[in-house]
Amino acid sequence: MANQTLRSRGGTGAPRQRSVAAAARAAAKRAERTRRPTGPTEPTEPTESAGPAEEPSLRPAAGPARRRPGLLTPALVVLTLLGLAATAALGLQHREAERTAEARTAALAAARKAAPVILSYDYRHLDRDFRAARSHLTAPFLGQYRKTTTSVVAPTAKKYRGVVKATVARPADGGAPAASVVSATPDRAVVLLFMNQATTSTQVSGPRLDLNRVRMTLVRTPQGWKVRAVDAL
């Protein structure tokens, strides 16, 4: 009885052991199939990023640094002011040149008119002649002329019955009077004149003609161009 029991237990245990072993092998094979791919390997595709794809930047490539407009404004203001100053200076120079040209013409005409009156006199009407001459003069020559005519010219002219007639010399062909502007500014001019002076008196036997060079300095006054200096050369 005892042997039967043992056989019976032993016969029942062998198949159970085989079943357990078979199950273990089957589990191992399944695990191996899971680890190995069943077909040929295909190239893997790149996985897509979870986030949205980045778009290409539309910004231009970095170039040379640009100056800010605010930094250029002072320079532009300075250039504008310099341009205006240059324009104003040119305008003033042009106006100065025009005024100088006008002064040359006016002063020359005034000198041609004044010279014969200043350098002439007649003992028979000295006061009238001297008064006419003074109308063309201004200080300081006005005071000098008054003093000279009163103390020297008038007594001598009356004593010797002197008569002096002065004219601006002219060329033999009758051209323009011999007078020219030496220098000029808008308010001052120097004129050189060639004067003929015919003198008669009891001191000479007949009329005497003298040719003199006279330099006159004229200035602009509210009453026009006046003689402020006369120099015999």
Side-chain angles (χ1 to χ4, degrees), residues 93-211:
Q93 290 178 0
H94 179 69
R95 178 57 183 156
E96 188 81 359
E98 287 184 341
R99 293 185 63 216
T100 300
E102 294 172 357
R104 294 176 69 90
T105 302
L108 181 59
R112 287 173 176 171
K113 183 178 179 180
V117 178
I118 296 170
L119 300 177
S120 299
Y121 59 86
D122 189 324
Y123 76 97
R124 289 165 292 193
H125 36 74
L126 291 175
D127 291 341
R128 185 183 69 186
D129 294 342
F130 295 158
R131 186 167 55 252
R134 289 195 298 269
S135 67
H136 294 278
L137 307 179
T138 189
F141 187 64
L142 176 59
Q144 297 171 2
Y145 178 84
R146 189 188 301 273
K147 182 178 180 179
T148 302
T149 54
T150 300
S151 60
V152 178
V153 177
T156 303
K158 290 177 180 179
K159 181 177 181 180
Y160 298 108
R161 298 182 179 182
V163 176
V164 176
K165 184 173 179 60
T167 58
V168 181
R170 288 179 176 270
D173 58 1
S180 61
V181 178
V182 177
S183 63
T185 65
D187 300 314
R188 182 179 181 275
V190 177
V191 180
L192 179 64
L193 304 102
F194 290 84
M195 304 296 299
N196 289 325
Q197 283 185 302
T199 303
T200 59
S201 72
T202 58
Q203 292 293 98
V204 294
S205 57
R208 186 185 67 197
L209 183 63
D210 298 317
L211 178 61

Side-chain angles (χ1 to χ4, degrees), residues 46-57:
T47 57
E48 295 184 357
S49 174
E54 293 185 0
E55 296 181 357
S57 175

Side-chain angles (χ1 to χ4, degrees), residues 47-96:
T47 57
E48 295 184 357
S49 174
E54 293 185 0
E55 296 181 357
S57 175
L58 298 178
R59 296 180 181 176
R66 296 181 179 179
R67 296 181 179 178
R68 297 180 180 178
L71 298 177
L72 295 178
T73 300
L76 292 175
V77 170
V78 171
L79 291 176
T80 302
L81 293 176
L82 289 176
L84 292 175
T87 303
L90 290 175
L92 290 175
Q93 290 178 0
H94 179 69
R95 178 57 183 156
E96 188 81 359

